[in-house]
C-alpha cells in the first residue's frame, strides 16, 4: 500500500523581503497592555519592546518552522532521496539549513539584547532609535539568507510527486519528448496524463496502476521528455 509521500507537506519558503515585511507589519499592529501609571516614557518603552518581541517571534518561528518542516533526508526511502539529490546539492542543502538555524538564534539573541537597551532608555526618542536599530540589524541578517531560502524553495517542486508503493513492481516510461509515452501509459494503466500533439506536454511525474483480478499488478510512472544534454542544463 502506498504511503503518503514525504514531501507533500513541505512548508512554504518566503523570500527575505516577504519575511521582513510580515514581521514588521505584525509588529506595527501589536497591542500593548497599558500600565495604570500613564507615564509617556514607560508607554513608549513598552510599545517598542512589544514590537521587538513580535518581530523576533515571527522571524524565529518561521525560520525554525522551515527547518522542522523539511523531512530528514537520511530517513527517506532511497527513491525519494535520489530525487531530492537531483534537485538540490546535499552539501549546499546542509549549509542552507545551518545558516537558517544560525540566523534564527542571532535574531533571538539580538531581541534580548535590544529589549535590555529599551528598558534602560531615558527618552522616548531614544527608545524609538533603539527599536529602529534592531529592525535594521535583523533585516540585514534575513537578507543574507536570500540564496539559502531560494535553494530550499526548490524542494517544493517535489510536493506534486505521487505516492509510490515500493512493494509493487514499478514500470518507468521514459524517453525523448513527443514519442507517445503518455499515450502508452494512459492505454495500459489507470493514469490519465495529458496527451497532446506537441512536445513537452508532460511536465511532471504521474502514476497509474495496471490492475488484475486480485488488485494492482504493477504501477506505471509517466515522466517528462528527456533531452540529450548535460544534467546541469536541464
Amino acid at each position: 500500500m502506498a504511503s503518503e509521500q514525504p514531501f507533500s507537506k513541505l512548508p512554504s519558503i518566503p523570500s527575505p523581503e516577504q519575511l521582513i515585511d510580515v514581521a514588521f507589519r505584525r509588529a506595527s499592529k501589536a497591542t500593548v497592555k497599558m500600565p495604570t501609571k500613564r507615564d509617556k516614557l514607560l508607554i513608549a518603552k513598552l510599545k517598542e519592546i512589544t514590537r521587538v518581541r513580535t518581530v523576533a517571534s515571527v522571524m524565529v518561528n518561521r525560520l525554525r518552522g522551515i527547518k522542522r518542516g523539511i523531512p530528514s533526508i537520511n530517513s527517506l526511502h532511497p527513491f525519494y532521496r535520489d530525487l531530492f539529490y537531483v534537485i538540490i546539492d546535499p552539501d549546499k542543502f546542509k549549509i542552507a539549513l545551518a545558516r537558517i538555524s544560525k540566523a534564527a538564534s542571532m535574531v533571538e539573541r539580538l531581541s534580548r539584547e535590544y529589549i535590555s537597551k529599551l528598558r534602560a532608555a531615558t527618552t522616548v526618542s531614544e527608545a524609538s532609535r533603539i527599536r529602529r536599530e534592531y529592525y535594521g540589524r535583523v533585516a540585514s541578517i534575513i537578507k543574507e539568507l536570500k540564496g539559502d531560502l531560494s535553494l530550499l524553495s526548490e524542494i517544493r517542486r517535489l510536493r506534486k510527486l505521487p505516492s509510490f508503493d515500493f512493494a509493487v513492481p514499478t514500470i518507468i516510461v521514459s524517453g525523448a519528448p513527443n514519442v507517445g509515452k503518455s499515450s502508452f501509459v494512459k492505454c495500459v494503466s489507470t493514469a490519465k496524463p495529458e496527451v497532446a500533439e506537441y512536445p513537452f506536454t508532460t511536465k511532471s511525474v504521474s502514476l497509474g496502476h495496471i490492475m488484475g483480478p486480485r488488485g494492482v499488478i504493477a504501477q506505471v510512472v509517466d515522466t517528462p521528455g528527456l533531452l540529450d544534454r548535460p544534467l546541469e542544463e536541464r
Side-chain angles (χ1 to χ4, degrees), residues 71-91:
S72 171
I73 306 307
N74 291 333
S75 66
L76 295 177
H77 185 281
F79 173 81
Y80 289 117
R81 192 184 311 138
D82 288 345
L83 276 177
F84 180 88
Y85 288 153
V86 166
I87 291 177
I88 290 188
D89 179 277
D91 293 329

Side-chain angles (χ1 to χ4, degrees), residues 1-9 75-80 158-168 207 209 219:
M1 181 179 179
S3 57
E4 184 178 35
Q5 66 103 329
F7 302 109
S8 61
K9 296 181 180 179
S75 66
L76 295 177
H77 185 281
F79 173 81
Y80 289 117
L158 297 173
R159 292 176 68 226
K160 296 182 179 180
L161 280 176
S163 296
F164 296 93
D165 185 347
F166 298 109
V168 174
L207 177 70
H209 297 91
Q219 54 190 2

Side-chain angles (χ1 to χ4, degrees), residues 11-233:
S12 61
I13 311 292
S15 68
E17 293 75 18
Q18 289 171 331
L19 180 52
I20 292 168
D21 180 61
V22 169
F24 287 179
R25 279 193 291 108
R26 288 192 188 175
S28 68
K29 297 176 181 178
T31 58
V32 180
K33 184 178 180 181
M34 292 299 177
T36 305
K37 184 180 178 182
R38 292 286 176 169
D39 181 277
K40 187 176 181 181
L41 175 59
L42 177 60
I43 292 172
K45 288 162 69 170
L46 288 174
K47 285 183 177 179
E48 302 297 20
I49 287 172
T50 299
R51 288 173 177 170
V52 167
R53 282 179 173 157
T54 302
V55 166
S57 175
V58 171
M59 290 182 173
V60 170
N61 288 339
R62 193 64 184 276
L63 292 175
R64 289 178 176 163
I66 291 171
K67 186 175 181 180
R68 286 194 303 268
I70 297 174
S72 171
I73 306 307
N74 291 333
S75 66
L76 295 177
H77 185 281
F79 173 81
Y80 289 117
R81 192 184 311 138
D82 288 345
L83 276 177
F84 180 88
Y85 288 153
V86 166
I87 291 177
I88 290 188
D89 179 277
D91 293 329
K92 291 181 179 179
F93 169 71
K94 291 175 183 177
I95 291 171
L97 283 188
R99 283 170 55 84
I100 284 175
S101 181
K102 182 179 179 181
S105 297
M106 290 174 66
V107 169
E108 202 169 44
R109 177 180 58 78
L110 281 174
S111 70
R112 293 193 295 267
E113 178 184 326
Y114 276 82
I115 285 172
S116 294
K117 289 183 179 182
L118 283 167
R119 285 175 174 152
T122 57
T123 65
V124 172
S125 61
E126 182 186 6
S128 178
R129 177 189 60 76
I130 291 170
R131 188 263 305 163
R132 291 197 305 272
E133 184 179 312
Y134 172 76
Y135 275 21
R137 292 189 66 179
V138 295
S140 295
I141 291 170
I142 300 301
K143 287 176 181 177
E144 289 180 359
L145 298 176
K146 185 177 182 66
D148 304 297
L149 293 172
S150 177
L151 177 77
L152 294 179
S153 68
E154 290 295 307
I155 305 173
R156 286 177 60 81
R157 291 161 55 188
L158 297 173
R159 292 176 68 226
K160 296 182 179 180
L161 280 176
S163 296
F164 296 93
D165 185 347
F166 298 109
V168 174
T170 303
I171 302 167
I172 297 178
V173 181
S174 64
N178 206 32
V179 295
K181 298 186 302 298
S182 296
S183 296
F184 171 75
V185 170
K186 187 174 184 179
C187 180
V188 302
S189 76
T190 59
K192 300 186 183 301
E194 182 182 356
V195 178
E197 294 294 329
Y198 50 86
F200 302 110
T201 304
T202 303
K203 295 181 174 61
S204 62
V205 173
S206 62
L207 177 70
H209 297 91
I210 298 175
M211 307 301 295
R214 297 184 179 180
V216 177
I217 297 176
Q219 54 190 2
V220 184
V221 182
D222 185 24
T223 62
L226 300 176
L227 294 177
D228 186 16
R229 58 183 179 180
L231 181 61
E232 62 271 14
E233 296 179 10

